[in-house]
Amino acid sequence: MLSIFNEHNGVSPVGQDFVWVGEYDDGTYLSEFNFDTKEENSFYDIQRDRLVRFGVMGHGSKFFFESDGVFNLDGIGIEVIYKDGDKEYNLTGHSGKFNDVITYKDAESTVNFASGRGGTITDTTITQYNFGYKSVIEIDGITFQFKATCKIPFGEPLHINFWLVADQKMDGVLLIKKNNRIATELKAPLRKGVGGEVNFGLSS
């Protein structure tokens, strides 16, 4: 079955730099703006229980994750493991656990106070595109809450923010794999019910 993330040229159909795209299990998809008509679609119309891929496209690039939570960032695969002693807990790789998708934009506005009381907004510029997921994963009696957000800032390198909390105390490390090889190992002790987060850049 052909995938829109493989077949499309990765160019936004509108003036916006990136648009979100959700691909379904039958090969159909919903995009923020229709690639043919340019009509806008609502994020709330995404059928999350049918998603197999979700991400953004723009400027010829395709950034997305599969239904198992593994990211594909323009051909670079990103996986995450929490390791405590000799035990490894795969935070990605669990099919069907990652359909609580996230997407939002950061923006800055210019306000003209000379125009009257309170001022008026004269220009709004998107400064960063974000997409990812939230997931609850139970592995060997331990419940992890895991959130991964890929951030694409204007004029700066892309990076992913990983947030993790466990329902018990752990004293492990976070392993981030890039194209099946460990790219980063970060000491990451966890207190019960207290979240911790790290940022990972593709140059890491």
Side-chain angles (χ1 to χ4, degrees):
M1 186 181 299
L2 298 178
S3 166
I4 184 67
F5 285 100
N6 290 331
E7 298 300 311
H8 197 269
N9 61 14
V11 175
S12 169
V14 293
Q16 184 175 293
D17 289 310
F18 291 91
V19 296
W20 56 256
V21 181
E23 184 177 350
Y24 298 132
D25 49 12
D26 62 355
T28 60
Y29 63 91
L30 185 72
S31 52
E32 185 175 1
F33 293 90
N34 186 288
F35 287 113
D36 297 319
T37 67
K38 301 184 181 180
E39 182 179 350
E40 187 172 7
N41 291 304
S42 171
F43 174 75
Y44 299 101
D45 287 336
I46 295 172
Q47 300 176 49
R48 288 165 176 75
D49 59 335
R50 295 182 54 210
L51 284 174
V52 293
R53 293 176 190 87
F54 183 81
V56 298
M57 294 185 189
H59 296 284
S61 293
K62 291 167 273 191
F63 307 119
F64 61 96
F65 58 86
E66 304 277 354
S67 61
D68 61 359
V70 175
F71 280 88
N72 183 317
L73 305 178
D74 242 6
I76 299 174
I78 303 293
E79 302 168 73
V80 185
I81 300 167
Y82 189 83
K83 184 177 181 180
D84 191 358
D86 294 329
K87 177 67 176 177
E88 292 188 353
Y89 302 88
N90 289 289
L91 300 176
T92 54
H94 306 274
S95 186
K97 293 283 188 180
F98 302 91
N99 56 12
D100 190 357
V101 297
I102 302 165
T103 184
Y104 60 95
K105 307 173 185 76
D106 295 350
E108 293 180 352
S109 296
T110 302
V111 180
N112 181 4
F113 288 100
S115 62
R117 198 172 91 181
T120 58
I121 296 175
T122 59
D123 187 37
T124 299
T125 303
I126 296 172
T127 58
Q128 181 168 275
Y129 294 84
N130 310 275
F131 77 95
Y133 54 77
K134 298 178 290 183
S135 184
V136 177
I137 309 160
E138 185 172 339
I139 309 172
D140 295 338
I142 302 174
T143 300
F144 295 95
Q145 295 179 55
F146 180 52
K147 182 168 72 172
T149 310
C150 181
K151 299 174 179 286
I152 310 168
F154 180 77
E156 296 180 27
L158 171 155
H159 65 277
I160 308 178
N161 176 269
F162 295 112
W163 178 88
L164 180 67
V165 62
D167 65 352
Q168 59 183 265
K169 182 180 178 180
M170 306 184 76
D171 188 22
V173 295
L174 195 68
L175 305 177
I176 302 174
K177 297 175 71 175
K178 184 164 67 173
N179 289 339
N180 296 316
R181 295 186 177 185
I182 295 174
T184 299
E185 179 175 324
L186 300 168
K187 188 168 178 57
L190 295 174
R191 293 164 53 195
K192 179 180 178 180
V194 179
E197 62 183 318
V198 297
N199 289 318
F200 173 78
L202 292 190
S203 60
S204 299

